[in-house]
Amino acid sequence: MNFKLIIQFIIAMSIILCTSCIDNLGPGWEYQVDNPLDKEIVIKIDKKEYTIPAQTTQNIELGQGKHTLTYDGSSVNFVTKVNSNKSVTIMNPTLSNYMLHANFYIRTNVKNKDISAVFDANSYEYNSDIGTVKLPVRVLNTLFIEKRHTNWSFGLEDDVKEKVGSSYPGKKKVFHKLYREAQYMKDLAEEIPAGTVFPVNSKKLSEQPAYVFPIESLMSDCDAANEFAKNLESRWKKTIADPSDIFQEVAALGFDTTVEQGQQSKLAKACSTQFNPGRDDKPFKEAMKRMSRVTKYLVDASSFIVE
């Protein structure tokens, strides 16, 4: 293993072995249930009802396992995974739009102030009255909006800072701010071209797609790696069917995937050029990178929609 993989290995091992850590996480995972509408909403989670006033957030703690959310006559099942990263999960029962806006900061002593490359990397295309425009904002309208996956610096109630500390690496930095759509359209009205159309989630809660382990994307030309990926998929399906110990089982998926990234792993010996001279192992390596991204997503996530 290289140094990076050794660190990943140690982190993964600590997650597996730290069974006592789960007890320290408390009885459940705390969701920030947000209501961006101009009227109160009533949701039901399992057998308990919650009234969320207009344009406010209410913290609700749910135990690890399967739950049912009902709003506006429609229901969806989901699994909560108690997590140790202490991140934020926003529950969006109205399936409203939230706007993740990129704010750009440049060191004062930088001569080249051009941010074209950084802007493009953090912008998305939208239709407007003047045609297609690129704006530094990403629309989020899924049921669960996880900071671990989207990584905003300024939350719904935070103000955007005009300046950031110089301790951050790099000459040009990007810090994202999360907005409710109505507030975004108000605060940045001058920056949004007339007639700009942002996508919406028009489906009911009951129509939200369940998470599916992306097995097809993990296939390569190496049978050993394919069998390993299928085994991960099988373990995931078993875990999600009985999520009583999902924290440890998903951590184990991440751990096993990290182990197989090593240069001396079983998969490397079966699939890599190092142990199989003349073999093109690029497809195998790319599949393993995708596999790492998938298991990292599972480890980082706190919530999964299920059937």
Side-chain angles (χ1 to χ4, degrees), residues 15 25 29 81-89 146-149 247 296-303:
I15 293 173
L25 295 175
W29 184 252
K81 176 164 70 70
V82 175
N83 215 328
S84 61
N85 59 41
K86 297 182 180 179
S87 189
V88 174
T89 305
E146 305 217 29
K147 185 176 182 181
R148 193 73 173 179
H149 293 156
F247 176 86
K296 184 180 187 305
Y297 176 90
L298 298 180
V299 169
D300 287 345
S302 68
S303 312

Side-chain angles (χ1 to χ4, degrees), residues 204-261:
K204 298 179 180 179
L205 280 179
S206 59
E207 299 171 325
Q208 299 307 300
Y211 175 81
V212 177
F213 191 90
I215 184 63
E216 294 301 324
S217 70
L218 305 184
M219 294 293 99
S220 68
D221 60 351
C222 180
D223 291 340
N226 292 345
E227 287 304 312
F228 179 76
K230 292 176 182 178
N231 178 258
L232 291 180
E233 179 193 36
S234 177
R235 290 164 61 184
W236 166 254
K237 288 182 176 180
K238 182 178 179 181
T239 296
I240 209 68
D242 177 13
S244 57
D245 197 24
I246 187 173
F247 176 86
Q248 289 285 41
E249 291 174 353
V250 170
L253 291 180
F255 172 78
D256 291 345
T257 303
T258 298
V259 170
E260 291 303 333
Q261 299 292 322

Side-chain angles (χ1 to χ4, degrees), residues 32 86 187 210:
Q32 294 185 357
K86 297 182 180 179
D187 290 358

Side-chain angles (χ1 to χ4, degrees), residues 2-247:
N2 59 32
F3 180 75
K4 181 178 180 181
L5 288 177
I6 291 174
I7 295 299
Q8 292 174 337
F9 184 93
I10 292 173
I11 292 173
M13 179 62 81
S14 68
I15 293 173
I16 294 293
L17 296 179
C18 188
T19 55
S20 63
C21 294
I22 297 178
D23 296 332
N24 296 329
L25 295 175
W29 184 252
E30 187 173 78
Y31 290 90
Q32 294 185 357
V33 184
D34 192 66
N35 172 19
L37 306 183
D38 56 6
K39 61 181 180 180
E40 72 174 25
I41 63 171
V42 178
I43 66 171
K44 183 178 180 181
I45 301 179
D46 301 328
K47 296 181 180 181
K48 186 174 180 179
E49 287 192 348
Y50 302 86
T51 298
I52 317 295
Q55 299 180 19
T56 61
T57 299
Q58 182 172 329
N59 293 339
I60 296 177
E61 190 173 84
L62 298 178
Q64 180 164 279
K66 188 174 182 179
H67 303 280
T68 300
L69 167 67
T70 301
Y71 167 69
D72 196 27
S74 188
S75 299
V76 63
N77 297 321
F78 66 96
V79 166
T80 295
K81 176 164 70 70
V82 175
N83 215 328
S84 61
N85 59 41
K86 297 182 180 179
S87 189
V88 174
T89 305
I90 293 175
M91 183 185 291
N92 175 23
T94 63
L95 302 176
S96 298
N97 279 356
Y98 291 82
M99 318 302 283
L100 190 68
H101 183 81
N103 298 276
F104 306 100
Y105 298 84
I106 307 174
R107 286 181 181 271
T108 55
N109 60 350
V110 174
K111 293 181 180 180
N112 180 10
K113 303 292 185 180
D114 181 40
I115 63 167
S116 298
V118 182
F119 181 90
D120 287 342
N122 290 274
S123 295
Y124 300 81
E125 292 187 346
Y126 301 100
N127 293 324
S128 74
D129 288 349
I130 59 174
T132 301
V133 294
K134 293 190 72 172
L135 300 175
V137 61
R138 175 183 169 193
V139 179
L140 307 174
N141 51 29
T142 52
L143 174 58
F144 300 108
I145 301 173
E146 305 217 29
K147 185 176 182 181
R148 193 73 173 179
H149 293 156
T150 52
N151 195 30
W152 59 83
S153 300
F154 311 115
L156 293 174
E157 307 304 328
D158 298 328
D159 294 327
V160 176
K161 294 182 179 180
E162 292 185 7
K163 297 181 180 180
V164 296
S166 58
S167 60
Y168 296 104
K171 298 178 179 179
K172 300 171 185 178
K173 290 295 295 182
V174 180
F175 288 84
H176 291 87
K177 157 70 177 169
L178 187 67
Y179 294 85
R180 299 183 181 102
E181 185 177 29
Q183 190 65 47
Y184 180 79
M185 300 299 287
K186 178 181 178 181
D187 290 358
L188 286 92
E190 295 182 359
E191 299 182 27
I192 305 171
T196 298
V197 178
F198 294 113
V200 298
N201 189 342
S202 59
K203 295 182 178 180
K204 298 179 180 179
L205 280 179
S206 59
E207 299 171 325
Q208 299 307 300
Y211 175 81
V212 177
F213 191 90
I215 184 63
E216 294 301 324
S217 70
L218 305 184
M219 294 293 99
S220 68
D221 60 351
C222 180
D223 291 340
N226 292 345
E227 287 304 312
F228 179 76
K230 292 176 182 178
N231 178 258
L232 291 180
E233 179 193 36
S234 177
R235 290 164 61 184
W236 166 254
K237 288 182 176 180
K238 182 178 179 181
T239 296
I240 209 68
D242 177 13
S244 57
D245 197 24
I246 187 173
F247 176 86

